[in-house]
Amino acid sequence: MTQRLRGVCRRDAGMVTSEYAMGIIAAVGFALLLYEVVTSGQVKAELQGIVEKALSARM
């Protein structure tokens, strides 16, 4: 019983190198897309307006 349980647990030890590589590529692609969106003109202006409004608020 114990050996059977060990065999079942060892079948899925985690991701292999190719899965890590695909995960890293996907994460980098998403980061680049997010960077492009955040640094685009309209979004950048909106974010700057929000920050300026927050900094100029009276307490």
Side-chain angles (χ1 to χ4, degrees):
M1 175 74 173
T2 306
Q3 285 187 350
R4 183 175 167 213
L5 184 58
R6 283 187 194 151
V8 170
C9 291
R10 290 184 182 175
R11 286 184 193 159
D12 187 19
M15 291 193 301
V16 294
T17 305
S18 61
E19 290 172 330
Y20 278 118
M22 293 305 293
I24 290 171
I25 290 170
V28 169
F30 182 72
L32 287 173
L33 177 68
L34 187 61
Y35 176 78
E36 289 295 322
V37 169
V38 170
T39 57
S40 69
Q42 185 176 1
V43 174
K44 192 173 183 179
E46 290 291 329
L47 289 173
Q48 187 173 0
I50 291 170
V51 171
E52 287 175 358
K53 186 176 178 181
L55 291 175
S56 65
R58 291 186 170 185
M59 291 191 186

